[in-house]
Amino acid sequence: MGAPMYARLLEVMLKQSTLPDDFTTWDDAEEDADTFDRFREFVVADLFDNAYCVLRGQYLSIIASALSSAKNWQAAESGTFALRVAAEPISEELEESTSAANEAETFLAQMFSTIIEHTADNAGLFSCHALVRAETCEMIAAYSFWLGRKTATLEEHAALTRGILMYVTAAFPYELAWRQAANAFKNICARCARQLKDPSTFTALLEHTERCIASVRPNFDNPDERDERTSVMEGLARVIARMPIAQASQASARIIAPVITKCKLFAAEVASTSAPAGPEASRA
């Protein structure tokens, strides 16, 4: 198939991979969640991957147009999905010095800047619904390689990286986006540790992350469900691992300080409840 056919197919399949306009939750939906996810993640994702390899910059233009004309959050979510699944061929494109690579570079810079603008705007394109935030965080994780590329200067991407982390941590309180946000946080920290290991930068990141994660209410009703806070801690640990030894020691002490404090409080509480109650308890 040629480019015109792939362009048309991309537009059609984008609509087919969009949630219904009246979608609220999977409990109330006519379609099964697993069936829809398998369709998107295997059938549509593979097709979109091939479409990018044929269309290159035109693929990004089509998705950008779909996002800019999105009439509801469902369309915004599917457009974001289409950007995520093209991450692998785009990463390969960026290794080459081609006009398509320059287009992708410019597009990613603009896209991430727009995401940052929508951090606290619940009506923004990338923040208008919890499921949009979830898909956006998945997309951010998929493109974390771009934020941390060695070919980019610290000055070029440092501010952008911090801004994206603000978006990701802002998604922590949303139950539907918590897992994806925690994973994106880990990926960014791993890829961009050299941009985040500066003492003042890391301290600000740690304090901000602690405030955001405090609002998370993990659900332990399902014994098989992972506590995503471990992903956040792993991300911070990845940054610490890139620090000089003295700085890493201080940062490690800072990151485990809340845990030690809670352990001490728990130990004191246990000691107070198990201590003898008075003379009669002593004679006993």
Side-chain angles (χ1 to χ4, degrees):
M1 291 191 295
M5 183 65 73
Y6 264 107
R8 178 56 183 157
L9 186 60
L10 175 60
E11 293 173 348
V12 171
M13 293 306 295
L14 186 60
K15 292 180 181 179
Q16 292 296 318
S17 60
T18 301
L19 291 166
D21 290 347
D22 60 351
F23 179 89
T24 52
T25 67
W26 285 114
D27 291 337
D28 299 327
E30 294 183 2
E31 191 163 9
D32 177 68
D34 290 338
T35 301
F36 183 80
D37 285 343
R38 284 196 298 269
F39 169 68
R40 285 217 311 188
E41 297 298 334
F42 295 103
V43 178
V44 179
D46 187 57
L47 188 151
F48 283 4
D49 184 291
N50 292 331
Y52 179 83
C53 293
V54 174
L55 299 173
R56 305 296 181 181
Q58 188 181 355
Y59 180 101
L60 298 177
S61 297
I62 292 173
I63 302 304
S65 176
L67 284 169
S68 63
S69 61
K71 296 180 180 179
N72 52 32
W73 69 263
Q74 291 90 338
E77 193 270 347
S78 63
T80 307
F81 159 78
L83 292 177
R84 169 172 66 86
V85 296
E88 185 173 344
I90 287 177
S91 69
E92 296 172 358
E93 185 81 73
L94 290 172
E95 297 298 324
E96 307 293 334
S97 297
T98 63
S99 58
N102 292 334
E103 285 183 57
E105 188 81 37
T106 301
F107 179 86
L108 290 175
Q110 293 175 343
M111 178 184 70
F112 276 101
S113 295
T114 302
I115 291 173
I116 292 171
E117 293 173 1
H118 296 170
T119 295
D121 179 10
N122 289 330
L125 177 65
F126 294 105
S127 55
C128 53
H129 192 277
L131 287 177
V132 177
R133 287 184 181 269
E135 185 58 53
T136 302
C137 286
E138 283 203 78
M139 180 183 68
I140 290 171
Y143 285 99
S144 60
F145 71 88
W146 180 77
L147 286 170
R149 281 189 308 146
K150 293 182 179 180
T151 54
T153 62
L154 288 176
E155 294 78 11
E156 183 182 5
H157 277 20
L160 198 60
T161 299
R162 291 193 294 270
I164 288 296
L165 281 172
M166 294 302 104
Y167 174 90
V168 168
T169 52
F172 282 0
Y174 295 87
E175 184 178 353
L176 294 175
W178 163 229
R179 176 179 60 81
Q180 295 85 346
N183 183 60
F185 184 92
K186 179 183 69 175
N187 281 20
I188 295 172
C189 287
R191 293 278 192 171
C192 307
R194 67 194 180 102
Q195 303 170 25
L196 302 170
K197 67 179 182 178
D198 174 77
S200 59
T201 299
F202 181 77
T203 298
L205 173 63
L206 179 57
E207 292 176 350
H208 173 77
T209 303
E210 287 176 338
R211 288 194 298 271
C212 292
I213 208 171
S215 62
V216 175
R217 297 293 178 266
N219 181 8
F220 296 114
D221 293 339
N222 183 358
D224 297 326
E225 187 168 332
R226 171 187 169 91
D227 184 354
E228 300 299 339
R229 290 176 296 183
T230 59
S231 293
V232 177
M233 291 301 106
E234 181 182 342
L236 294 171
R238 292 291 190 93
V239 179
I240 293 175
R242 295 291 298 271
M243 296 176 179
I245 294 177
Q247 181 190 349
S249 177
Q250 294 177 350
S252 299
R254 173 70 177 79
I255 201 173
I256 65 173
V259 178
I260 294 176
T261 299
K262 289 183 179 180
C263 288
K264 288 181 177 179
L265 291 172
F266 179 73
E269 183 179 345
V270 171
S272 65
T273 56
S274 60
E280 293 183 0
S282 299
R283 286 196 296 272

